[in-house]
Amino acid sequence: MENNMFCFQCEQTLGGKGCTRHGICGKSPEVAGLQDLLIHMLRGVGFYGQKALEKGRKIDQDTNKFVIDAIFSTLTNVNFDPERFVQYIEKAAEIKAYMKELAGEIDGVIPAAAEYTPPMTREEMLKEAKKFGVMADTSLNEDIRSLRELLTYGMKGMGAYGHHAHILGRMDDTVSHFFYKGLAATIDNSLSVDDLVKLNMEFGQVNFKCMELLDRANTETYGHPVPTEVLITKKKGPFIVVSGHDLKDLKQLLEQTEGKGINIYTHGEMLPTHAYPELKKYPHLVGNFGGAWQDQQKEFDGLPGAILMTTNCLQKPRDSYKDRIFTSSIVGFPDTAHIKEIDGIKDFSPIIEKALELGGWQEDEEDQKILVGFGHNTVLGVADKVIDAVKSGAIRHFFLIGGCDGAKPGRNYYTEFAEKAPEDTIILTLACGKFRFNKKEFGTIGELPRLLDMGQCNDAYSAIKVAVALSEAFECSVNELPLSLILSWYEQKAVCILLTLLSLGIKNIHLGPSLPAFVSPNVLQVLVDNFNITPISNVEADMSAILEAAATA
């Protein structure tokens, strides 16, 4: 295959325009092509699925789960294994045939994507994939392409949240069915720019429902997070580092390692799991190792312990730890050990054996701890104190500084913003963007810590719920609250959260470190005009403008 591709779905895309020879994320042209072909197949599935739903036909949950998992697999830094994508494409062909039969006779035009049948071999699939890349149709209107991709990337993010909810036994037809509607819309030439803008806003509402579903799944299964101190230094002995976002994987690993003398550390977006009562009760869940996803190659280099990647964000493993990293669920990398699920159970024996073999760290480090666990249940539990502090002037402003972290320069902006936030302001944070500053000391306002870690990226739901509750208490809109959103984005889960915020009418978001390459100038102008989305500039100017505007409001 010729060494070419086109991908601009993440923030670090080459030159801010698109990766054309090899993904900055490590994605090969082969994997990029197979992902393009899989998305093309899923669009055909969406067409027939939407027709079936319009006729009142019922789609089984296994089919819904496949669509959700398949689109999730194409999200940045999830799966780099070409053979797994071949299997997804083959399965998508089966699902599409089933959907076509379920939909019955179709009136009107049937899009080419719905009629398409993929070839049987990987080599032929790769040749065909060139026809279905993002830029393959050079005649497509730029703004239509932009809005279709915006919707597609949003659905990739919602696929992650839908996947996590489903494995805990929670599914919602509104969420599941939107994937068919949204995928079908990306091949519907009758839809105008206005139609697609409205559909993206509708998607944002559905994703809010999906995040609510996942929040309920997590809290009903593991309890509401509570403020918890987490060790961030090393303990002597064998250990396993767990990264990603999957609470169920962590729970099963904790059960299987109990009494075996193995310490379990979280990494990246798994840090908030220490606050869940049903997880923190295990004494061998000892702490958190390292920082955000983009530092893993350096942090895992020669690590004397085993590593479990439960979801994104995976980077290409270095040879120094490739023999001790294991993937699970949707995650994959060629020639890397993968733990399969059988009847709802994953056997983590290979990881456990590797951890014992490696022996772990040889001595303890001096204890250092950070505080997590400020989900909506905890914050709203002290809402009266927060409201009183705002009314008395003790709290002047709230800054939500969070989102995806990444490797490109410019992200020190978020560290500096947190450091320079006045002492009478509260910093809310979530997702892996917090690792830019979450080990720093910010003090307290009264009994309330100035830095409140609200959890994983999907816990943007918590932040929204708190904002809505405060707006009701102060009898104003969310946009009138002394609250500013300073968001960093990297991949497609950030896209779906952004669309959710916009669909809820939330304005004045400061977004960075760069604007999405897939948003055309005209579409960007619509977002600026309607929602006052503002690119970050420099901390002093942005901070001053925010606080001056708040003072005159």
Side-chain angles (χ1 to χ4, degrees), residues 92-357:
E94 296 176 14
I95 294 292
K96 188 161 67 171
Y98 156 70
M99 288 294 205
K100 185 176 182 179
E101 183 178 347
L102 191 66
E105 187 174 345
I106 305 293
D107 295 326
V109 177
I110 298 177
E115 299 279 32
Y116 178 78
T117 301
M120 299 297 292
T121 68
R122 186 159 119 185
E123 291 72 21
E124 289 299 316
M125 286 180 185
L126 288 168
K127 290 178 183 177
E128 287 284 286
K130 295 179 183 180
K131 302 175 184 177
F132 309 119
V134 174
M135 307 301 285
D137 183 359
T138 57
S139 67
L140 188 62
N141 175 273
E142 179 185 35
D143 299 329
I144 294 290
R145 177 185 287 110
S146 177
L147 289 163
R148 286 179 176 182
E149 293 305 308
L150 183 62
L151 182 59
T152 300
Y153 301 155
M155 288 188 290
K156 290 185 180 191
M158 190 168 75
Y161 300 145
H163 165 85
H164 290 303
H166 183 268
I167 61 176
L168 294 178
R170 309 312 198 275
M171 291 197 85
D172 181 276
D173 283 347
T174 301
V175 174
S176 298
H177 292 173
F178 188 88
F179 285 98
Y180 303 106
K181 181 176 183 176
L183 286 163
T186 63
I187 52 174
D188 185 348
N189 292 328
S190 72
L191 297 181
S192 67
V193 166
D194 287 344
D195 293 331
L196 288 169
V197 168
K198 290 175 183 176
L199 192 58
N200 272 280
M201 292 301 100
E202 180 185 341
F203 163 79
Q205 293 283 318
V206 175
N207 184 61
F208 184 65
K209 190 175 187 68
C210 185
M211 289 195 295
E212 181 182 29
L213 182 71
L214 178 54
D215 177 83
R216 191 163 65 248
N218 284 337
T219 55
E220 289 178 354
T221 306
Y222 305 110
H224 281 283
V226 295
T228 302
E229 285 192 321
V230 181
L231 186 76
I232 56 171
T233 46
K234 301 170 185 174
K235 302 293 287 184
K236 180 180 178 180
F239 65 90
I240 298 171
V241 172
V242 185
S243 193
H245 305 75
D246 196 317
L247 277 62
K248 185 177 180 181
D249 272 5
L250 177 60
K251 180 67 158 61
Q252 289 193 17
L253 182 64
L254 288 167
E255 292 170 343
Q256 293 177 36
T257 50
E258 197 166 18
K260 289 185 167 62
I262 297 174
N263 291 326
I264 305 299
Y265 294 83
T266 56
H267 173 268
E269 286 255 59
M270 292 296 278
L271 168 63
T273 60
H274 288 270
Y276 286 90
E278 288 302 307
L279 298 174
K280 66 178 292 184
K281 70 181 183 181
Y282 291 90
H284 60 300
L285 179 62
V286 296
N288 186 78
F289 171 75
W293 66 272
Q294 76 274 4
D295 295 327
Q296 68 186 255
Q297 289 179 326
K298 176 179 63 179
E299 292 173 346
F300 294 167
D301 193 15
L303 197 70
I307 305 151
L308 174 63
M309 297 297 301
T310 65
T311 56
N312 64 309
C313 300
L314 173 68
Q315 286 188 306
K316 179 182 179 180
R318 291 181 178 175
D319 290 342
S320 65
Y321 63 87
K322 194 171 184 180
D323 67 328
R324 60 200 67 181
I325 190 167
F326 297 76
T327 61
S328 171
S329 186
I330 309 297
V331 192
F333 201 90
D335 304 319
T336 299
H338 185 74
I339 304 296
K340 294 183 178 180
E341 182 177 80
I342 300 175
D343 297 328
I345 302 296
K346 295 178 183 178
D347 181 2
F348 290 116
S349 298
I351 305 176
I352 293 169
E353 292 168 6
K354 178 60 71 173
L356 293 171
E357 173 194 324

Side-chain angles (χ1 to χ4, degrees), residues 7-24:
C7 181
F8 61 179
Q9 69 178 9
C10 82
E11 188 270 335
Q12 68 179 17
T13 191
L14 186 64
K17 295 181 179 179
C19 294
T20 57
R21 295 186 61 81
H22 203 279
I24 297 291

